Amino acid sequence: MGDGWAAYEGPHADHVAHAHIAIQLAVARSGSVRVILDGNRTLTGQALIIGPRVPHQMADVGGSVLLLYLETHTPLASRLLASIAPANAAVAPPAVAAFLSPKVSAESIVEDLKAGLEAGEARLDPRLEEALLKASEDPAPGAISRAAAMVGLSPARLRVLAQAQMQVPLSQWLLWRKLQRAGREMARGAGLAEAAVAGGFADQAHLNRITRRMFGVTPLQVSGAVRSAGNRFVQ
């Protein structure tokens, strides 16, 4: 997991239909990648770009894949979305595919894309940045209200500011950060109950529902994947 992004590298299996707030870049390390959109439209290629909150289902076509998730407020995410506009999901155009060598690490791909697509650093309202940091480190209920009070905003105003600058509801962004914390714990060998607590979920069942909704797989499947030899959740 990097600043504004996370990545998984390794084999992948069939997923159920799901959607998440991140922009996803799926890169074939071998073979190709395929996703099913809207229940019947299929995209297949060496690299695919999928917009935020777009329902999709990854199909197992064999081989290895790099799944790169970019948070919507980052300039790189905006550049990738612009490269496939007006579509909300598409095969990566040549200008993007040129930076997606199957032998290059996720970290290098992110840096190469930033340079090649001239994507600078994110510039959010300082109050929003401070509130996001506070809320993402606060797993207890009421985190948004406490973060808003700390920066001198009402919870409603903070939510409006987040939606305007990040293009996603603040509550969904916080769920995404909870999944990141739980994912880190699973990658370190924690059990699912421990990961749920570390992520700030109510219980293991809550973690199960959100993981399946956003990734199309269960936490047990995620845990098995990130611990398997040759797979890695980029830290």
Side-chain angles (χ1 to χ4, degrees):
M1 295 180 183
D3 184 14
W5 62 272
Y8 163 78
E9 183 174 1
H12 67 99
D14 289 329
H15 295 56
V16 298
H18 62 285
H20 42 69
I21 66 166
I23 293 164
Q24 182 173 327
L25 180 59
V27 182
R29 292 306 208 183
S30 60
S32 60
V33 286
R34 180 184 302 162
V35 298
I36 303 169
L37 303 164
D38 307 319
N40 53 19
R41 183 164 65 100
T42 300
L43 287 177
T44 304
Q46 294 299 305
L48 309 177
I49 299 172
I50 304 167
R53 292 183 284 178
V54 174
H56 61 284
Q57 178 179 356
M58 294 199 68
D60 184 5
V61 293
S64 181
V65 68
L66 169 66
L67 301 178
L68 182 60
Y69 302 92
L70 297 156
E71 293 181 0
T72 53
H73 67 282
T74 63
L76 178 54
S78 297
R79 292 287 195 278
L80 290 176
L81 277 184
S83 75
I84 62 170
N88 58 12
V91 174
V96 173
F99 301 101
L100 305 179
S101 167
K103 297 181 180 179
V104 176
S105 69
E107 298 93 331
S108 295
I109 284 177
V110 170
E111 293 307 314
D112 290 347
L113 283 171
K114 283 182 179 179
L117 300 181
E118 299 181 349
E121 296 302 318
R123 290 182 174 85
L124 297 176
D125 184 298
R127 297 168 299 173
L128 178 58
E129 285 189 334
E130 188 176 355
L132 290 176
L133 178 62
K134 172 65 176 176
S136 66
E137 295 175 344
D138 184 353
I144 292 177
S145 294
R146 287 189 291 274
M150 187 187 73
V151 299
L153 295 173
S154 69
R157 178 56 187 159
L158 178 60
R159 288 188 174 93
V160 169
L161 191 60
Q163 179 70 50
Q165 296 202 5
M166 301 171 65
Q167 294 82 54
V168 294
L170 181 54
S171 59
Q172 294 300 300
W173 184 86
L174 289 176
L175 274 179
W176 184 255
R177 284 303 173 97
K178 286 183 175 183
L179 285 173
Q180 287 183 337
R181 289 198 297 269
R184 286 193 182 99
E185 291 304 306
M186 284 188 277
R188 292 169 184 156
L192 298 183
E194 295 173 281
V197 171
F201 291 95
D203 50 32
Q204 187 174 328
H206 187 202
L207 172 62
N208 186 75
R209 290 194 302 273
I210 298 302
T211 303
R212 188 173 175 83
R213 191 178 86 196
M214 287 199 178
F215 289 104
V217 294
T218 66
L220 185 60
Q221 290 172 297
V222 173
S223 178
V226 299
R227 295 174 188 171
S228 298
N231 304 345
R232 63 195 190 108
F233 208 33
V234 178
Q235 297 288 334

